[in-house]
Amino acid sequence: KRFSLDGGESLVPMIDVMLEDGARLGLKEVVIGMAHRGRLNVLCNILQKSPDQIFSEFEGPDDAQGYQNRGDVKYHQGFSSDFVTTEGHQVHLSLAFNPSHLEAVDPVVVGRVRAKEDRFDDPERGRVVPLLIHGDAAFAGQGVVMETLNLSALPGYNVGGTVHIVLNNQVGFTTDPEESRSSIYCTAAAQMLDIPVFHVNGDDPEACVHVMKLAIQYRQEFKSDVVIDLVCFRRYGHNEADEPTFTQPKMYELIKAHPTVRQIYADQLVAQGRITRQEADQIRQDVMKELQEAHARVKEHSALKEPSAMEGLWKTFRGGADKDITQPDTAVPRERLSKLLEHLATVPEDFHPHPKIATFLERRRAMARGDQLLDWSAGEALAYASLLTDGLNVRLTGQDTHRGTFSHRHAVLHDVKTGGTYVPLEHLARAQGTIHLYNSPLSELGCLGFEYGYSLDCPDCLVVWEAQFGDFANGAQVIIDQFIVAAERKWRRLSGITLLLPHGYEGQGPEHSSARLERFLQLCADDNIQVCYPTTPAQIFHVLRRQLVRAARKPLVVMSPKSLLRRPEAISPLEDLAAGRFHRVLPDQANLDPAKVDRVLLCSGKVYFDLAAERARRVEERVAIVRVEQLYPDPREELQAELERFSAAREVRWVQEEPKNMGAWQYIFPLLQELASSRANAPRVSFIGRGAAASPATGFHEAHELEQHKIVEEALSRVTNG
């Protein structure tokens, strides 16, 4: 099936003139985002994708064997090319890949443009322009449109304006306007901004071109969004296999009798004496002949090609299987770490920090001297600082990210007397990478989409998006499902985006406990992402550095802490950062005799410290506690080594805070069962945690404490039967 442009053909000359006039105004590159309608037409007529290749995608591959579980339909694929104007200017075009979730690509496109502008060091923001092509029902109905518009003038997200074209079919799939919006115009959402909105008749190509000339000039002059409502129609159904008269019989009776835009414009030109009827007919015949010949060639021999990827900026990076990726040494010399901590603890003499911040900075100076062990905040900050002084860039955004939701980060310091700010990460060395630190607006879908887009065009930048609480990522699930976890298999596109999702059960209720670890693990396959649950400052330091130090680029999902930010046991000496790398599994830290251990507790995250504290209180020497710090790709070899180390153990218990139907249990049980059953005296694998539940956590602190006590008690209770 296809989603034709019939009825909205004026879109093509509009884009053409945007490129022609834009190039005269300094335009060098355009990133285009659009869903289905007209996509193939834009690919063929604007991006010059050959008809042979397009027809080949309809025909499919000669051998389907190589395309199992990968690839995407033709109208989701991206494409790039160089457009040469009539005056010889070259404009690079990128049509972004996208899923069927209408408008989800909007913030991705804008994020890509921001990355390009930052890379080009283009403060004027005139070289790269995002072009978003919307449907009328989607523009009015999808909240991500409003989120993307809201980003337009914010410091961390401003790109100098987006050109929006709304292909106004005056109908959704089968839904009339009076059922799809409460406003007169489908573009009403754009009125939240002080920007021009043009409404133009799609049957008048010259009026459409004139409006686009105004729009691109306005964008380049005022660096602002601009919206064009292209009022047209949809000649066929939602796609050409659909029957629109089922639901819009009167409308399609009118459309059937209505001439095409080509016919209307040809008649106008003939009446004006600008072209003859024969010339108009010949143009149509020549185009149809070219398309028919291309189709015939494809019928004889498929011209299907893989989507272009791993070119330009991405030539030195790779994806692929985890077993083929070298695990790098991410250590940094101790002396350098101490100096970086000193810089992070230093403010100008005339700066007046809050008294509690002054204490915070003094603790950091003590850590730099080695008088105090590192807390989580210091480990994370040193990861950023060491990357920056390696000449790499870091972009960290999210709700309240400057300070940190839990007041641990304090990356941006505020003068209590003047209100001025100071960012220690900007003052580490004369020559250093750029730190981009921004508090985001209170939204997730648009913001995460933006950061994902940024990561696509900045592989040498650590791009980090932080959720205020981990389950706030629920609001960005489309970006996670359709882009982050699937892009390598669908479109052969890599990303190193990192998600920090605060997770842990401290009695704060169902909305502030779980980052929905189970959802991410359910999405894991084909070595597509990394899911980690680090428990020490050294571990977060190494895993963040790993994102840039190695040549591989994979999204990283971090279950980051809340109470562990200040827990006295969650500390690391500088030496742990100055040596080694990220450990997928942390062995038991106690000095146990393996021959006496009859139970191995495996766990991830905060619950480890509860278990370790209770074991120490009981002076229990028959229970080993092993932390799984990376859940995917699974640490099979490391787990096998720990189980072999405690080969006398009769039990392996997986302990988690989450309910049984959540967390890691259902994901990790088959692996543990496989590893355990490979031994001669196979230990029994069992679960310890909260019972299956519809809600992630209780809303009462006392109930939480009771549940937590039961988990720890059951984990360390003695075996009553052989």
Side-chain angles (χ1 to χ4, degrees):
K1 61 185 179 181
R2 61 194 174 95
F3 302 83
S4 76
L5 192 57
D6 296 55
E9 295 95 325
S10 294
L11 174 70
V12 172
M14 290 174 73
I15 300 176
D16 183 80
V17 79
M18 172 186 166
L19 301 177
E20 291 282 350
D21 282 21
R24 298 188 194 103
L25 299 169
L27 181 62
K28 302 293 183 185
E29 189 167 351
V30 176
V31 183
I32 306 170
M34 66 183 301
H36 308 107
R37 186 152 322 283
R39 190 180 183 92
L40 301 182
N41 212 312
V42 169
L43 278 165
C44 182
N45 291 297
I46 299 296
L47 284 94
Q48 300 298 301
K49 186 173 183 178
S50 75
D52 298 61
Q53 178 64 13
I54 293 173
F55 287 134
S56 291
E57 291 170 358
F58 276 91
E59 295 295 323
D62 292 332
D63 180 13
Q65 187 72 25
Y67 286 83
Q68 294 184 93
N69 231 14
R70 71 180 186 90
D72 203 351
V73 293
K74 64 196 77 65
Y75 39 85
H76 289 175
Q77 299 285 2
F79 192 77
S80 298
S81 66
D82 291 316
F83 181 95
V84 180
T85 70
T86 54
E87 295 179 2
H89 301 293
Q90 184 170 291
V91 180
H92 184 69
L93 306 179
S94 297
L95 178 64
F97 47 81
N98 66 280
S100 283
H101 288 66
L102 299 179
E103 307 296 337
V105 78
D106 296 354
V108 177
V109 165
V110 183
R112 289 187 61 184
V113 171
R114 176 62 180 248
K116 291 174 185 289
E117 291 174 339
D118 287 350
R119 243 186 30 247
F120 296 151
D121 191 20
D122 178 22
E124 297 301 317
R125 307 196 186 284
R127 292 184 55 175
V128 189
V129 172
L131 169 63
L132 294 178
I133 302 169
H134 315 267
D136 54 320
F139 195 84
Q142 296 291 302
V144 70
V145 173
M146 186 280 289
E147 290 190 27
T148 306
L149 290 169
N150 186 52
L151 295 177
S152 64
L154 302 180
Y157 306 90
N158 178 21
V159 295
T162 298
V163 176
H164 303 265
I165 303 175
V166 181
L167 267 173
N168 189 349
N169 298 317
Q170 305 178 72
V171 64
F173 185 166
T174 66
T175 305
D176 292 319
E178 58 266 25
E179 295 177 299
S180 65
R181 63 176 187 264
S182 298
S183 56
I184 297 173
Y185 295 108
C186 65
T187 52
Q191 292 177 275
M192 64 182 285
L193 302 179
D194 187 16
I195 61 173
V197 179
F198 297 99
H199 306 273
V200 64
N201 181 2
D203 275 353
D204 188 344
E206 292 196 2
C208 293
V209 165
H210 177 68
V211 163
M212 178 54 81
K213 284 176 173 284
L214 288 173
I216 189 60
Q217 187 172 348
Y218 181 92
R219 190 277 174 193
Q220 291 297 82
E221 176 68 25
F222 297 106
K223 301 301 186 295
S224 162
D225 279 42
V226 58
V227 176
I228 300 173
D229 177 15
L230 177 59
V231 183
C232 53
F233 61 93
R234 187 186 71 193
R235 181 162 294 278
Y236 305 107
H238 180 63
N239 58 68
E240 281 65 13
D242 181 51
E243 179 48 72
T245 58
F246 288 159
T247 48
Q248 278 81 26
K250 298 301 291 181
M251 181 181 194
Y252 274 86
E253 183 180 336
L254 293 172
I255 289 174
K256 186 176 181 180
H258 190 74
T260 66
V261 177
R262 185 198 64 80
Q263 289 172 316
I264 294 171
Y265 192 48
D267 291 346
Q268 177 186 331
L269 294 176
V270 170
Q272 294 172 347
R274 296 163 68 186
I275 193 172
T276 68
R277 178 65 62 189
Q278 291 75 20
E279 288 172 326
D281 291 342
Q282 189 63 50
I283 290 171
R284 183 178 184 280
Q285 291 168 17
D286 290 345
V287 171
M288 290 301 296
K289 180 183 177 184
E290 180 184 345
L291 294 176
Q292 287 165 354
E293 289 174 348
H295 189 243
R297 287 193 297 271
V298 168
K299 284 290 187 182
E300 292 180 8
H301 177 68
S302 174
L304 188 66
K305 297 178 182 177
E306 289 279 1
S308 60
M310 308 309 296
E311 298 173 1
L313 287 172
W314 287 93
K315 281 185 177 178
T316 59
F317 300 97
R318 53 158 303 170
D322 181 69
K323 64 181 177 61
D324 299 327
I325 297 172
T326 302
Q327 300 305 314
D329 185 343
T330 49
V332 174
R334 191 185 190 287
E335 297 76 14
R336 184 178 159 205
L337 292 170
S338 294
K339 290 179 180 178
L340 288 174
L341 264 179
E342 284 286 354
H343 284 298
L344 292 170
T346 302
V347 295
E349 289 185 6
D350 59 350
F351 188 87
H352 309 93
H354 188 283
K356 290 186 177 180
I357 298 299
T359 303
F360 169 83
L361 297 175
E362 179 51 45
R363 284 201 305 271
R364 282 212 168 154
R365 285 189 284 271
M367 294 174 194
R369 295 191 300 268
D371 297 339
Q372 192 168 324
L373 296 177
L374 304 181
D375 60 13
W376 192 277
S377 173
E380 181 193 358
L382 281 172
Y384 303 140
S386 60
L387 290 170
L388 290 166
T389 50
D390 285 339
L392 301 166
N393 300 328
V394 175
R395 178 179 168 92
L396 172 61
T397 67
Q399 294 156 9
D400 311 297
T401 288
H402 283 184
R403 190 194 76 179
T405 298
F406 311 101
S407 295
H408 82 285
R409 183 173 292 118
H410 297 296
V412 178
L413 306 179
H414 294 258
D415 190 309
V416 294
K417 291 187 177 180
T418 68
T421 60
Y422 182 77
V423 182
L425 284 166
E426 292 179 347
H427 304 278
L428 302 170
R430 289 184 179 178
Q432 66 170 72
T434 303
I435 176 72
H436 305 274
L437 276 167
Y438 297 104
N439 283 336
S440 77
L442 194 63
S443 62
E444 292 82 33
L445 177 56
C447 292
L448 181 55
F450 189 100
E451 300 310 324
Y452 174 74
Y454 196 100
S455 73
L456 294 176
D457 279 85
C458 226
D460 56 352
C461 177
L462 178 64
V463 181
V464 182
W465 178 76
E466 182 178 53
Q468 190 177 78
F469 284 88
D471 63 349
F472 287 15
N474 291 347
Q477 201 67 44
V478 170
I479 301 299
I480 294 165
D481 290 350
Q482 300 299 329
F483 290 96
I484 292 175
V485 305
E488 186 173 351
R489 294 296 284 180
K490 291 199 293 190
W491 307 309
R492 300 178 64 223
R493 292 301 301 267
L494 305 180
S495 166
I497 189 167
T498 296
L499 278 59
L500 298 183
L501 308 179
H503 177 85
Y505 281 55
E506 289 102 354
Q508 295 186 347
E511 273 73 59
H512 292 158
S513 296
S514 177
R516 294 292 189 175
L517 173 61
E518 64 279 358
R519 291 184 186 169
F520 289 98
L521 294 176
Q522 187 181 39
L523 294 168
C524 291
D526 300 319
D527 297 312
N528 58 339
I529 60 175
Q530 309 158 90
V531 179
C532 297
Y533 199 168
T535 55
T536 71
Q539 285 285 83
I540 190 64
F541 171 84
H542 287 297
V543 79
L544 290 176
R545 281 186 54 80
R546 185 176 73 174
Q547 280 296 90
L548 287 195
V549 170
R550 66 182 185 181
R553 288 293 178 268
K554 298 280 184 178
L556 170 63
V557 178
V558 177
M559 299 290 112
S560 61
K562 302 197 294 288
S563 64
L564 284 194
L565 296 171
R566 293 175 179 81
R567 189 153 180 164
E569 307 98 299
I571 50 179
S572 297
L574 269 175
E575 286 73 18
D576 285 359
L577 283 64
R581 61 185 62 170
F582 177 73
H583 297 284
R584 300 182 183 207
V585 170
L586 286 179
D588 192 299
Q589 304 296 301
N591 187 24
L592 301 175
D593 180 355
K596 294 181 180 179
V597 170
D598 60 14
R599 178 182 301 163
V600 177
L601 301 180
L602 297 172
C603 63
S604 285
K606 179 179 73 68
V607 72
Y608 163 78
F609 295 99
D610 295 333
L611 295 170
E614 180 62 17
R615 182 181 64 175
R617 189 187 70 80
R618 297 183 180 203
V619 196
E620 176 59 77
E621 297 180 344
R622 293 167 294 177
V623 178
I625 309 173
V626 177
R627 280 173 277 180
V628 181
E629 301 272 297
Q630 177 172 302
L631 289 153
Y632 189 83
D634 65 62
R636 180 179 301 262
E637 294 180 5
E638 294 91 336
L639 281 174
Q640 184 73 65
E642 286 303 297
L643 294 180
E644 290 295 335
R645 178 184 171 200
F646 300 109
S647 58
R650 294 174 294 168
E651 285 187 297
V652 172
R653 292 188 171 187
W654 176 261
V655 186
Q656 66 180 39
E657 297 183 303
E658 303 88 349
K660 192 173 185 178
N661 58 321
M662 303 178 196
W665 168 243
Q666 295 189 24
Y667 158 79
I668 206 164
F669 172 68
L671 173 62
L672 298 182
Q673 188 70 17
E674 177 189 335
L675 295 177
S677 62
S678 66
R679 287 171 40 186
N681 297 315
R684 182 167 61 92
V685 178
S686 60
F687 168 83
I688 296 175
R690 288 169 170 83
S695 176
T698 178
F700 298 94
H701 190 268
E702 294 79 2
H704 160 79
E705 290 293 335
L706 177 61
E707 292 170 352
Q708 201 77 0
H709 174 74
K710 286 181 177 179
I711 290 171
V712 174
E713 180 68 24
E714 184 180 357
L716 290 162
S717 63
R718 293 309 312 142
V719 181
T720 57
N721 54 24

